[in-house]
Amino acid sequence: MATGNPAAPRSTNRLNPIYALWSVGAVRAGLYELLAYWHRGASDWRFMNFGYAFDAEADNPPLSQEDEAERYCAQLYHAVASQADLTGKQVLEVGSGRGGGASHIHRYLKPAGTIGLDITRNAVAFCERVYADVPGLSFQQGDAMALPFADEHFDAVVNVESSHCYPDKGGFFTEVMRVLKPGGRFLYADMARSQQLPDEELEAAGFTDIRSRWITANVVRALEADHQRRLDEINRRFPFGSRKLATLWAGTKGSSVFRDFTSGRIGYFIAQAGRPE
């Protein structure tokens, strides 16, 4: 069931041209491949998402000292994945990137096994090296549009800030439905450029018990609180000529994506849905 939010994005056909380029799946996949290769030694950089600030500080999950630096990014995964009890379950993350999210889910939410799937070969190689000592956590290369797994294989599928790059979101939802066990849960978050939550598309793919809501305000608060760290990381890791593009995926204050969030041109939602028993 969709939940309204006054911060839901305004309907508009206007789209920042830099963001439009970044949203092209092939372009973004190529840039991620290059990023993963250039920063293959940056084992302390494990997340690439906009983050999440809980409404109350008391809701912040406890993190190890090693994970504190990227707290807001980790909290987005915690908010999404903790929508279901994953203890002892088999979990797939589609679009696992640098692996921080799959690692967080596996270490803090205690599934029996977690697989991170990403289309980017260099990102998978990075994850296989960095998380090699985490029992039950593995990574492999694959396409979200043709998941390389048997039917009814997972108890939960997680997808965070990735599906807006896919060429056919409905096709992706159908694949998620296929690999979920009966009664399994799809745990999902992404940005959206319209006033529509994903409920109708999820229902069309066969999902039931759909619950979604806008969390744009929580994402903006996280970006504000995390601004200086993100800016410092960009200045430390990227050559001068590439920093403007880096601010786009980092969402720093003043970037086009941050302006789009605060103006209502883009919204951010969290959702969960079930495969019928």
Side-chain angles (χ1 to χ4, degrees), residues 42-49 51 61-64 66-81 86 91-111 114-118 122-132 134 137-139 158-160 229:
S43 59
D44 58 332
W45 174 22
R46 303 189 179 191
F47 289 92
M48 294 181 70
N49 67 63
L63 298 179
S64 69
E66 178 187 15
D67 296 332
E68 275 293 340
E70 294 181 288
R71 167 171 282 280
Y72 291 101
C73 294
Q75 287 186 171
L76 178 59
Y77 270 89
H78 201 89
V80 174
L86 301 182
V91 176
L92 169 68
E93 185 195 359
V94 181
S96 51
R98 298 180 71 81
S103 175
H104 178 91
I105 290 168
H106 192 73
R107 291 181 296 116
Y108 288 94
L109 301 180
K110 306 302 182 184
T114 305
I115 297 175
L117 182 85
D118 201 272
N122 285 312
V124 172
F126 171 88
C127 292
E128 289 177 332
R129 176 173 55 83
V130 170
Y131 307 103
V134 182
L137 175 63
S138 63
F139 295 86
V158 179
N159 186 251
V160 174
R229 183 194 68 84

Side-chain angles (χ1 to χ4, degrees), residues 16 30 36-37 62 67 69 79 113 127 150 182 186 193 199 212 249 267 270-271 277:
N16 183 287
Y37 178 76
D67 296 332
C127 292
F186 179 36
R193 298 195 302 267
D199 299 47
S212 63
W249 57 256
I270 188 171
E277 295 279 0

Side-chain angles (χ1 to χ4, degrees), residues 18 39 44 61 90 103 133 187 189 197 236 248 252 265 269:
I18 299 176
H39 300 286
D44 58 332
Q90 296 295 328
S103 175
D133 62 346
L187 310 173
L197 289 163
R236 180 162 72 98
L248 180 64
T252 51
R265 187 172 294 130
F269 64 82

